[in-house]
Amino acid sequence: MALIPLIYSDVYLLHQSKYHHVENPERVRSILNELKDHQFISPYKVSEEDVKMIHDIDYINLVKKTSEKEGWLDADTYTNKNTWESALYALGGALKAFEVNGFALVRPPGHHSGKSGRAFGAPTLGFCIFNNVAFPIRKYNLKRVVIIDFDVHYGNGTQEIFWDDPEVVHIDIHQDPKTLYPGTGFPDMIGGKEAEGTKINLLIPPLGGDDLYEELLPIIQSIIDDFKPKIIAYSAGFDAYEGDGLASIRATEWTYYNMGILSNRFERKYAVLEGGYTVGLKNGVKAFIQGLEGEKKEYNKNTSSESVKSRFRDYLSEEKRILREYWKI
Ligand SMILES: [Zn+2]
């Protein structure tokens, strides 16, 4: 069993707010403490020209200017004078992860960042600067990619960037957006005209546990089997972990381990860090990596109450009805 390469640079610690903020350098430090036996690889720094492959020039300039001024991009999303640099290295971390089939432990995160910043009417950028997971796909013009986004929030930026691209299947599992930022990401959002069915939103109601993820796994597996991707990419957020702080899902190691297992059959894969703020990072990251590496583990499953399960089943029947028009599930 090979250990997967981890991509990391101290540059990821330099983006920070002078005020208390949940998205802070301590997040990555807490992960590093848990992964001491792994090999760490340095990321690239990408060029400004590279960033234009995924973002509009106006947004890129706004990030650069706001970073120089150490201002806020919006009420949630700060910059300091290192943000620009950290964000270029975060994109380069995703690129390196793609090249070595690794996991990039990047900050700032990226999945809420769309072409011109806020995506699908989101109120803010949700701490994100540039869209890291999207970058290798555009840089190398990758085809037949499945992105699995298991951050507890909907990856609206990523879904917007690939909205019209049938070569990128984006499976996003998140807390019911009626109850959580960014307020979009419902099952009827299926992609643009040429890409219908390739954008997939699977909802977990508040207080849902691992048992609900367990019901989603065969659906995700069937879509993967049907699409036959060459590459599996992950937007790996750990804020659905029970008690992590920003949401109310009760996932544990069981879920993160099994998310990692999903890509075991694939030679080409990469993952980039998204959210996760406290215990999710400490416990979830390690379990996800064990899954990616195909290590044999037995984790206990958290279960949901009957009322939560019944809400979940309502979502699931709608999701299946929509998905069956496009996939063999
Ligand atoms: Zn999140």
Side-chain angles (χ1 to χ4, degrees):
M1 189 197 68
L3 297 182
I4 63 151
L6 301 175
I7 294 83
Y8 170 76
S9 160
D10 286 340
V11 178
Y12 299 148
L13 305 178
L14 300 177
H15 164 72
Q16 60 176 308
S17 174
K18 52 186 166 234
Y19 305 102
H20 172 74
H21 198 287
V22 291
E23 204 296 286
N24 60 59
E26 221 28 67
R27 297 179 55 233
V28 182
R29 283 202 194 97
S30 73
I31 300 176
L32 297 178
N33 283 338
E34 300 295 321
L35 301 169
K36 291 202 173 105
D37 48 350
H38 278 72
Q39 180 198 358
F40 288 90
I41 298 177
S42 297
Y44 300 113
K45 178 182 177 181
V46 308
S47 70
E48 195 171 328
E49 280 307 304
D50 275 338
V51 188
K52 289 182 193 159
M53 292 179 182
I54 45 171
H55 295 294
D56 296 348
I57 184 70
D58 288 349
Y59 177 63
I60 297 170
N61 287 337
L62 176 72
V63 170
K64 198 176 186 179
K65 255 187 7 218
T66 312
S67 176
E68 280 163 11
K69 288 190 301 198
E70 304 214 318
W72 291 72
L73 284 161
D74 53 55
D76 284 343
T77 315
Y78 65 83
T79 66
N80 71 351
K81 63 179 188 320
N82 301 308
T83 297
W84 173 252
E85 186 88 348
S86 293
L88 295 181
Y89 273 99
L91 290 173
L95 199 64
K96 188 56 120 178
F98 163 68
E99 290 177 2
V100 301
N101 300 308
F103 182 8
L105 302 173
V106 299
R107 293 181 59 252
H111 74 151
H112 296 306
S113 179
K115 283 178 196 152
S116 53
R118 287 178 287 160
F120 294 141
T124 71
L125 281 155
F127 325 149
C128 293
I129 304 292
F130 296 140
N131 197 306
N132 305 314
V133 77
F135 180 62
I137 299 169
R138 284 289 178 255
K139 170 76 178 174
Y140 290 133
N141 194 22
L142 303 179
K143 309 281 184 202
R144 305 205 77 71
V145 185
V146 167
I147 303 175
I148 300 170
D149 183 331
F150 57 78
D151 185 282
V152 78
H153 304 94
Y154 167 50
N156 54 327
T158 312
Q159 199 155 94
E160 185 221 52
I161 287 171
F162 296 113
W163 189 249
D164 295 310
D165 187 344
E167 293 290 338
V168 179
V169 169
H170 181 241
I171 304 173
D172 202 302
I173 309 136
H174 46 265
Q175 182 172 321
D176 177 357
K178 285 199 290 290
T179 65
L180 194 67
Y181 171 93
T184 50
F186 293 98
D188 60 353
M189 296 181 73
I190 57 172
K193 208 167 171 14
E194 303 301 315
E196 280 182 11
T198 61
K199 308 301 170 270
I200 296 157
N201 292 303
L202 302 172
L203 273 49
I204 307 273
L207 303 180
D210 298 313
D211 56 338
L212 307 187
Y213 286 87
E214 185 180 29
E215 292 198 39
L216 295 179
L217 286 173
I219 297 172
I220 299 168
Q221 190 63 64
S222 299
I223 293 167
I224 292 173
D225 291 345
D226 199 3
F227 184 65
K228 299 180 182 64
K230 290 193 192 136
I231 302 152
I232 305 280
Y234 289 99
S235 260
F238 298 86
D239 40 8
Y241 196 96
E242 181 162 32
D244 190 68
L246 292 193
S248 40
I249 303 296
R250 299 171 45 248
T252 68
E253 281 86 338
W254 189 94
T255 289
Y256 296 104
Y257 175 74
N258 282 287
M259 288 292 159
I261 292 283
L262 276 173
S263 63
N264 278 179
R265 287 189 291 117
F266 293 85
E267 268 171 47
R268 300 309 321 267
K269 66 188 91 175
Y270 67 96
V272 297
L273 182 66
E274 301 289 356
Y277 299 93
T278 57
V279 283
L281 294 174
K282 192 171 164 8
N283 304 330
V285 172
K286 213 158 61 176
F288 173 56
I289 290 174
Q290 287 162 345
L292 283 179
E293 291 171 348
E295 188 178 343
K296 287 262 172 294
K297 282 277 167 187
E298 292 284 338
Y299 286 113
N300 291 327
K301 229 177 348 201
N302 223 342
T303 53
S304 314
S305 71
E306 286 308 317
S307 66
V308 170
K309 265 192 234 176
S310 126
R311 277 182 75 185
F312 172 76
R313 298 256 161 79
D314 288 345
Y315 298 157
L316 193 60
S317 63
E318 193 201 345
E319 287 155 10
K320 282 184 169 167
R321 181 182 58 75
I322 294 168
L323 289 169
R324 282 197 180 113
E325 292 189 31
Y326 306 96
W327 302 102
K328 293 190 205 111
I329 60 156

